[in-house]
Amino acid sequence: MSISRRKFLGWIGAAGVGTAIGKSADAATNKHFKGYPEGFGVLFDSILCIGCRKCEAGCNSVNQLPPPEKAFDDLAVMDRKRRTTTTAYTVVNKYDVSDNTSPAFRKVQCNHCLEPACASVCFVKAFKKNKEGPVTYDPSLCVGCRYCMVACPFEIPAYEYDSAFSPRVVKCTMCFTRVIEGKLPGCVESCPKEALTFGKRKDLIKIARKRILNYPGQYVDHIYGEHEMGGTSWLYLSGVPFQKLGMREDLGIKPAPEFTAGALGAVPVVAGLWPILLTGIYAISKRKEKVAREEQEQAVQSAIEKTQVEADAKLASAIEKARKDKDAAVQREVKKALEEAAKPQTEEDA
C-alpha cells in the first residue's frame, strides 16, 4: 500500500500532538538554582599561569586521549587562538594584553555551569549537573541534535564528526571519576605554579576574595563565574579586564534555563513525534527497499527466462543442424557404398 506525503504527515500530527501538547520541557525551568552547596570547582588564577601547557598534558594523560599533532612543550601553538576539540578537552591560549607587559594566559575548558545551558536544551537529558560539581554527558541517551553546541555561551562542546557509527558530544568532565574517588582533576594535579586550585566552590570564592583583598593592585575586583550565567563551577581571577582574555562580559547573571524555558516549551512535542517520525521514515525506507528488491528479482528472472529461451533456440538449431549433417553424411555413405558395389559388376561384365 502506498503512503502519500500528506497522509503520512497527518498520521504524525494525529498520533503525536494529542499526547504531547500541554507538557513542559523537563530540561528547562524558571526556578533559580543556586548550585549544590558542597559541590566542587576549580579556581584559575591567570596571574600565576605561565602558559606551560602542563595542564593540557595532564588532561590528555588521565583521559587517555591521542597525542597532539605538536608536542605539549611546543609553545608556538599558542600564537593562534584555539578551542577545545574531541581530542583536547582543555587548551591554553595566549593574549597580548599590552605593549609594555608580558602576555597573559587563560586556560579554556568546560566551565561546568550551575545551571548548564547544554542541559537546559537537551530534551533527552544526556547532560546532567552532578551534586559534586561536574556536568557530565551520557552518550547512550544522545540523539545527536547538537543543540548543546549552539546553546553553550562558552563554545565548549565538540562533536565527533569523523565517527561514522557512534559519534559523541565531547567536553571536559572535570575528571568526574577522579573527583568521586577523592583525586584531583588531571589539569590541577599537573599545574607546577598552582594557577589551578581545586576545592568546594564556596571555599574557592572565599580564597579568590582574599587574594583580591590582599593584592588590590594586581587583581581585577571581580570573580568571573561567581554570577555569570547564574554561576559556574570554574572560577577565574585576572590582572586585566576579562575581555582582554577573550572572555565574554555580556552574559549577565541570569542562568540559561530562563532563556530556554519558553523556547523549549514545544520540545516535548518534538520528543513525542520523534519515535513516530522515525518509524514512518523507517517504514518508507523499508518499502523502497522491498520495491527495489522486487524489481531486481523481476529483472533477474526476466534475464534468466530470456537466456533460457535463447539457449533453447540455440540448442534446437544445433540439433536440427546435427540432424541435417547426419542425414547428409548417411546419404553420402549410401551413395559411396552403391558406387563401390557397382564397380565389380562392371569388371565381370567386361
Side-chain angles (χ1 to χ4, degrees), residues 17-127:
V17 174
T19 58
I21 290 178
K23 298 179 181 178
S24 60
D26 293 331
T29 174
N30 286 318
K31 182 180 179 181
H32 182 57
F33 174 64
K34 296 183 179 180
Y36 294 105
E38 300 301 311
F40 291 101
V42 177
L43 172 64
F44 170 75
D45 192 330
S46 67
I47 290 180
L48 298 178
C49 180
I50 60 174
C52 64
R53 298 185 64 202
K54 291 291 194 304
C55 56
E56 291 186 36
C59 175
N60 182 278
S61 177
V62 300
N63 289 291
Q64 299 180 339
L65 300 175
E69 293 182 3
K70 295 184 178 180
F72 289 112
D73 57 2
D74 183 355
L75 304 185
V77 299
M78 291 187 290
D79 291 339
R80 61 179 179 84
K81 180 183 177 182
R82 298 180 296 154
R83 60 153 293 170
T84 57
T85 68
T86 57
T87 57
Y89 298 171
T90 185
V91 296
V92 177
N93 283 330
K94 180 176 68 174
Y95 302 89
D96 295 320
V97 295
S98 175
D99 295 335
N100 301 320
T101 61
S102 300
F105 301 94
R106 175 171 70 94
K107 181 180 179 298
V108 182
Q109 74 297 302
C110 176
N111 286 321
H112 300 278
C113 304
L114 299 186
E115 293 186 83
C118 55
S120 72
V121 299
C122 184
F123 59 87
V124 294
K125 298 184 180 179
F127 283 95

Side-chain angles (χ1 to χ4, degrees), residues 139-273:
S140 68
L141 299 176
C142 182
V143 297
C145 67
R146 284 162 281 175
Y147 291 158
C148 53
M149 297 175 64
V150 178
C152 178
F154 305 109
E155 300 180 348
I156 294 300
Y159 190 71
E160 292 179 325
Y161 289 100
D162 56 346
S163 180
F165 298 105
S166 57
R168 300 172 300 162
V169 175
V170 182
K171 71 173 191 65
C172 157
T173 64
M174 203 195 291
C175 292
F176 179 59
T177 55
R178 291 173 60 87
V179 169
I180 60 178
E181 292 175 358
K183 300 178 182 178
L184 292 173
C187 58
V188 178
E189 189 175 65
S190 303
C191 182
K193 294 297 182 179
E194 297 184 357
L196 297 168
T197 304
F198 177 80
K200 292 183 179 180
R201 184 178 183 274
K202 60 182 181 181
D203 296 332
L204 295 177
I205 292 175
K206 294 177 182 179
I207 293 172
R209 286 176 179 164
K210 186 174 182 180
R211 290 184 188 179
I212 294 173
L213 180 63
N214 291 342
Y215 305 98
Q218 294 188 34
Y219 290 98
V220 173
D221 189 10
H222 180 66
I223 305 171
Y224 193 99
E226 182 178 10
H227 300 296
E228 277 77 7
M229 291 298 294
T232 62
S233 294
W234 210 280
L235 306 169
Y236 298 82
L237 285 177
S238 175
V240 298
F242 290 98
Q243 188 175 12
K244 291 188 175 183
L245 296 182
M247 303 176 72
R248 295 182 60 178
E249 294 185 331
D250 61 339
L251 297 177
I253 63 174
K254 288 185 178 181
E258 291 193 22
F259 298 99
T260 59
L264 287 181
V267 164
V269 176
V270 178
L273 299 181

